[in-house]
Amino acid sequence: MTEKHLSSQFDNELSGISTRVLEMGGLVESQVAMAIDALTHFNGEIASQVLTHEERVNAMEMAIDADLSAIIARRQPTARDLRLLIAISKTIGNLERVGDEAARVARTVQRLINTGVSSRLRLPVSDVSFEAGLATASLRKSLDAFARLDTTTALEVIKADNEIDAEFDGLMRKLITYMMEDPRTISASIDLVFVAKAIERVGDHAKNLAEQVIYIVKGTDVRHNTPEAVESIIK
């Protein structure tokens, strides 16, 4: 994914780190899917597996970050390579936070199970799953954009964030209605509010990853820009 450098060893180091970033991304993507599966089926065992993966994700972030610091100190990279390394550092930070959100969902599932909430209680779990599907798809596309340094795919992720936000807003309205109609759902509904917010943040982190791809390729920080403005930048 990088241009050839005078040092083939440097090339190998960059390639190796990029591969590990994608491995970390695959792991957190799996975490999110497992967390939603645990919620859908009220499965405490799957929730526990999500929390186990969190430790591995945290360790990967620290290891990659340490290697990035070592490369910067040892190689004194040029502007473009330094931009890549900085973007990778921000990328793994966002991936670690995605893992945190998945762990937050898993802990909520454990709490719901421990408090005896029945999976038959009328709650919009399927709506949460739909929102999670959108967020996971964005995360997958952002990782694909990173692997190929594809700004077009990155832009698609940025545009999709509005859809995830709209789904979150709709879910909030539905949960409020559930609580008003059936007071028995209040406690569990509040838990689902936090789950839905965690998933919405996964979408935000996917968007952040996409913005880093554009930063690597174009050298322009597109954070806080509208999708239309970003599109004009990558053309």
Side-chain angles (χ1 to χ4, degrees):
M1 61 178 288
T2 57
E3 296 175 359
K4 284 294 181 183
H5 300 80
L6 295 177
S7 170
S8 60
Q9 185 177 0
F10 189 21
D11 275 335
N12 292 336
E13 289 173 346
L14 291 177
S15 178
I17 284 182
S18 297
T19 298
R20 289 160 61 197
V21 170
L22 293 173
E23 180 185 352
M24 183 180 176
L27 184 58
V28 297
E29 182 184 336
S30 174
Q31 267 189 294
V32 174
M34 290 172 63
I36 299 306
D37 190 30
L39 175 67
T40 302
H41 300 96
F42 279 72
N43 190 312
E45 182 178 346
I46 296 176
S48 295
Q49 292 176 17
V50 174
L51 298 178
T52 299
H53 285 335
E54 183 187 21
E55 297 176 2
R56 184 180 168 196
V57 169
N58 292 343
M60 292 179 75
E61 182 201 17
M62 292 180 66
I64 295 173
D65 206 31
D67 287 346
L68 287 172
S69 297
I71 289 176
I72 291 173
R74 186 173 63 251
R75 298 294 182 184
Q76 298 182 344
T78 59
R80 187 180 189 279
D81 294 329
L82 183 60
R83 192 164 72 232
L84 171 62
L85 295 171
I86 291 172
I88 289 176
S89 180
K90 292 181 179 179
T91 294
I92 61 174
N94 277 282
L95 289 175
E96 190 274 333
R97 291 184 193 82
V98 171
D100 286 345
E101 300 301 342
R104 186 169 288 111
V105 173
R107 292 190 184 96
T108 300
V109 171
Q110 290 180 331
R111 183 167 58 253
L112 289 171
I113 293 173
N114 291 336
T115 55
V117 174
S118 171
S119 60
R120 295 185 298 275
L121 192 63
R122 193 170 68 96
L123 286 171
V125 173
S126 62
D127 295 74
V128 177
S129 298
F130 180 75
E131 181 197 9
L134 294 176
T136 304
S138 284
L139 178 60
R140 188 179 305 116
K141 289 181 74 171
S142 66
L143 290 168
D144 182 54
F146 174 81
R148 298 186 290 111
L149 292 184
D150 183 347
T151 57
T152 300
T153 300
L155 177 62
E156 292 174 3
V157 173
I158 292 171
K159 289 181 175 179
D161 188 59
N162 288 335
E163 183 180 1
I164 297 172
D165 291 343
E167 187 64 28
F168 171 76
D169 292 340
L171 184 54
M172 290 302 98
R173 290 191 294 271
K174 182 172 288 190
L175 284 169
I176 291 171
T177 300
Y178 273 57
M179 288 186 278
M180 292 175 63
E181 292 179 349
D182 186 353
R184 295 176 304 163
T185 69
I186 290 176
S187 179
S189 292
I190 291 173
D191 279 325
L192 282 189
V193 167
F194 289 110
V195 168
K197 186 59 181 177
I199 295 168
E200 191 263 342
R201 289 194 186 105
V202 170
D204 287 341
H205 291 307
K207 178 184 176 184
N208 292 344
L209 297 180
E211 290 170 346
Q212 291 306 313
V213 170
I214 295 173
Y215 175 66
I216 293 170
V217 176
K218 296 295 184 179
T220 302
D221 188 345
V222 297
R223 291 176 297 175
H224 312 302
N225 276 282
T226 64
E228 293 74 20
V230 175
E231 188 169 12
S232 67
I233 288 171
I234 69 173
K235 283 184 177 179

